[in-house]
Amino acid sequence: MPEKKPKTAASKLERLGLRSDGDLVLHLPLRYEDETTLVGIHEAGFRGGDSAQVEGEVVSAEIQYRPRRQLVVTIADDGGQMTLRFLNFYGSQVKQFEPGRRVRARGEVRHGFFGAEMVHPAYKMVGADTPLPDTLTPVYPSGEGLSQTVLRNAIGSALKRVDLADTLPPALLAKLNLPAFGPAVKLLHNPPPEVSAAALAERSHPAWQRMKFDELLAQQLSMKRAQAARRTQSAPRLPVVGALSDGFRRSLPFALTGAQQRVLAEIGQNLAAPFPMQRLLQGDVGSGKTIVAALAAAQAIDSGHQAALMAPTEILAEQHFRRIAAWLAPLGVTVAWLVGSQKKKEKMAALAQIESGAAQLVIGTHALIQDEVLFARLGLVIVDEQHRFGVGQRLSLRNKGDAARLPHQLMMSATPIPRTLAMTYYADLDVSVIDELPPGRTPVVTRLIDSQRRDEVIERIHAAAREGRQAYWVCPLIEESEALQLQAATDAHALLVEALPDLNVGLVHGRLKTVDKQAVMESFASGQMHLLVATTVIEVGVDVPNASLMVIEHAERFGLSQLHQLRGRVGRGAAASVCLLMYQSPLGDTAKQRLKTMRETADGFEIARRDLEIRGPGEFLGERQSGVPMLRFADLETDQALVEQASALADELLARNTPQAAAIIEAHLARWLGGREDFLKV
């Protein structure tokens, strides 16, 4: 076996993404430590519970074994003695603490059995005249095996070499009330002691404001440029709203809402353009996004092209297939179905239809992006629950079009996106919002109930079934293991079958074969099944108007977005609907916040706003921005004003179209994104 080479400091820095001097300069501190002052050991002894920095000579150092192995060092100055205690240590450390050597230690002072002590203090060996630092000591985000000393030295060297010239002109900085870049970044790496520690910690200091603004401006410029660049690419014009579209609208047993009509007009205008549409369609649970997607597909088909709809799960893809095929097949449209679990013969037949153009609409899962899938004339790509797909997956489907002309792309999300998030991470997209629910939807009453009252919940299901209503029982989300989640569903099903012997209780989960899933869902949709026990595979797309009761077991384990999606499976008919969030006590603070939000509001946008507060943008976005640098410094909740300013300035600079504006844009993007801007162009 070849011997592993030791990792160099450069390779360790590279693992943190620090490849250039520019990267190092923008690797800003997480926090700061004050090493600029010393207190005497005697005075430090009165600071129990507080941090202090002391200096003294080593009196003794010994390894003790009671109550556990530890290194105990005694240091002293003119006023007293203190113990330094290390529970984890190396042999080399023992040698460092030779009696007579001088040590400077910083940590929390505690009162132990033998007087004042510090446990695992930060320390360094010093001489009698080693000066104290004159700036606060930065503590940087680090990685395995990369010490703060190495990071500080690397960043200090980079600051001397790199060009800190400002990318923004002085007049603009004055207008925005921002400090110059060079002094701001130097201050953050080496703040003098008089700088407000609170302003640094809260990132409200003007130097931090400059970094956050610059980061947001780079993101806005990059994404808006990506949007503009797409307008230089070719796409097939799909302007025809013809016989299929008209016949489809006439066949609908309901009128479209005003919001649906407005959004369709926006999409229709994009489809008629010669450059690719890149539009995000968002709307709350049950707002009617599927109808809009089907009408967009009808316009593509009317214009002589194929449309493809990709969904993240087979159950969701199948729901779309059944519903849309029921609408369009009677009007003469051939709808193909393509998923990974299909039998080879069915799959080969579908592939042949797609390649020949006989299939005008193709609905499926990730199977649509496999190499063997070839479209005759793909004009429109629809991606449902787009945040569950990575950038590469969405790009693969888009590339199934003609090499010279990209298909139009419509991305759908039932997870409404708060405005500041849309302005930053979705700045490259046109956004349409269906902000109106169809008439006839009944509000869902949400109640919290302790799992100790499970018997009452089961009786509630029994009563609903006697009244001719159906119910869902959603099993706990167990992130660690799909197998455990399946086990939880199987156990719940067995328990409910035993408790409700006169009811038809079904079970559906992700590992069921497609044909079995189909049979269970058909039985439930037709009303033959009273209760459906399920994992989160029913989170989106399932529409059974007669189901009016939803029980979510261990609701504290679910995120807000999932709880809202699941609740959206009921309230689709005329009957009063209830969602019972069954929880296990005691609840943590985050779980309490989530469940309180669910009880207080059914507004998806308000839920999304609170979800962003609880989780932060990284987790909220899922895989949407796979490969795109997340915001490291700006906070979308506290920095909304900066987001607005950065967006406005990006628009202004891009609109100027002058050599001076172009130079500002290039310099700014080079500093903040380097070679990573290409990630944003998908």
Side-chain angles (χ1 to χ4, degrees), residues 193-439:
E194 64 270 17
V195 170
S196 163
L200 288 173
E202 293 163 7
R203 298 190 171 185
S204 59
H205 189 279
W208 266 121
Q209 295 296 102
R210 174 63 202 269
M211 296 304 118
K212 292 194 279 190
F213 178 82
D214 273 18
E215 178 183 48
L216 286 164
L217 178 61
Q219 190 195 45
Q220 291 291 303
L221 284 169
S222 185
M223 298 192 93
K224 287 172 191 282
R225 279 214 319 190
Q227 186 182 45
R230 272 196 295 271
R231 301 206 163 193
T232 66
Q233 296 171 318
S234 291
R237 286 179 181 269
L238 309 175
V240 183
V241 180
L244 173 61
S245 300
D246 292 340
F248 181 16
R249 283 203 189 216
R250 282 196 303 272
S251 72
L252 292 174
F254 49 81
L256 297 178
T257 64
Q260 285 172 315
Q261 291 181 48
R262 184 191 72 245
V263 165
L264 270 168
E266 292 167 353
I267 293 168
Q269 198 172 0
N270 285 162
L271 292 177
F275 52 83
M277 169 175 76
Q278 194 85 345
R279 186 169 285 278
L280 174 67
L281 171 60
Q282 54 171 324
D284 211 342
V285 174
S287 60
K289 294 182 296 298
T290 308
I291 282 280
V292 171
L295 280 162
Q299 182 170 332
I301 296 165
D302 267 334
S303 302
H305 281 73
Q306 292 168 295
L309 190 157
M310 182 167 74
T313 66
E314 285 199 12
I315 278 200
L316 179 52
E318 190 183 335
Q319 292 289 322
H320 282 315
F321 177 70
R322 290 178 167 280
R323 191 180 304 175
I324 296 173
W327 290 330
L328 298 183
L331 300 171
V333 175
T334 301
V335 186
W337 164 246
L338 196 65
V339 292
S341 65
Q342 262 174 317
K343 290 179 179 171
K344 189 173 180 182
K345 189 177 175 183
E346 290 174 4
K347 189 173 185 181
M348 296 308 290
L351 291 173
Q353 282 187 313
I354 296 165
E355 189 171 356
S356 69
Q360 296 152 292
L361 173 60
V362 187
I363 297 175
T365 57
H366 304 75
L368 291 178
I369 61 176
Q370 300 306 308
D371 290 342
E372 65 264 33
V373 184
L374 302 169
F375 285 84
R377 47 186 184 282
L378 183 60
L380 172 64
V381 165
I382 301 165
V383 182
D384 195 15
E385 289 298 293
Q386 57 81 34
H387 60 283
R388 295 201 193 179
F389 294 100
V391 165
Q393 291 170 317
R394 295 200 314 279
L395 186 59
S396 294
L397 184 54
R398 193 190 73 177
N399 288 342
K400 293 287 183 185
D402 184 325
R405 294 188 301 172
L406 294 173
H408 298 277
Q409 189 159 314
L410 178 66
M411 290 167 280
M412 301 198 295
S413 176
T415 304
I417 296 149
R419 184 169 175 270
T420 42
L421 203 58
M423 283 184 70
T424 48
Y425 289 100
Y426 293 89
D428 59 329
L429 304 180
D430 294 312
V431 179
S432 289
V433 181
I434 304 179
D435 51 8
E436 179 184 359
L437 290 178

Side-chain angles (χ1 to χ4, degrees), residues 23-193:
D23 293 335
L24 285 162
V25 165
L26 293 177
H27 192 67
L28 298 177
L30 281 172
R31 57 188 174 84
Y32 301 90
E33 291 172 345
D34 189 352
E35 298 180 5
T36 61
T37 55
L38 279 176
V39 296
I41 287 175
H42 180 70
E43 183 189 339
F46 293 105
R47 294 191 176 190
D50 287 344
S51 288
Q53 182 170 242
V54 299
E55 189 172 303
E57 280 190 7
V58 176
V59 175
S60 65
E62 60 176 336
I63 298 173
Q64 296 181 359
Y65 291 91
R66 291 184 183 178
R68 54 173 288 188
R69 186 174 182 269
Q70 54 188 304
L71 172 61
V72 179
V73 179
T74 304
I75 63 169
D77 64 6
D78 294 339
Q81 287 192 345
M82 178 179 281
T83 300
L84 311 181
R85 196 177 298 277
F86 300 89
L87 304 178
N88 300 302
F89 58 93
Y90 299 103
S92 57
Q93 284 177 277
V94 182
K95 292 176 186 173
Q96 280 184 320
F97 292 110
E98 288 178 12
R101 290 197 71 184
R102 196 164 190 82
V103 63
R104 191 175 288 168
R106 188 185 70 263
E108 184 184 317
V109 181
R110 303 195 325 191
H111 289 291
F113 192 72
F114 297 105
E117 68 175 24
M118 290 181 184
V119 178
H120 276 292
Y123 72 91
K124 59 183 170 185
M125 312 315 290
V126 294
D129 54 357
T130 301
L132 288 165
D134 56 5
T135 63
L136 298 178
T137 303
V139 178
Y140 294 100
S142 186
E144 190 180 341
L146 193 58
S147 70
Q148 289 294 316
T149 303
V150 169
L151 265 173
R152 287 172 193 144
N153 290 340
I155 291 166
S157 299
L159 279 167
K160 291 172 188 169
R161 290 190 299 266
V162 83
D163 180 4
L164 297 177
D166 220 301
T167 56
L168 303 179
L172 190 52
L173 293 178
K175 180 181 167 186
L176 294 165
N177 198 25
L178 291 170
F181 176 80
V185 81
K186 284 180 177 176
L187 181 143
L188 291 176
H189 285 297
N190 298 294

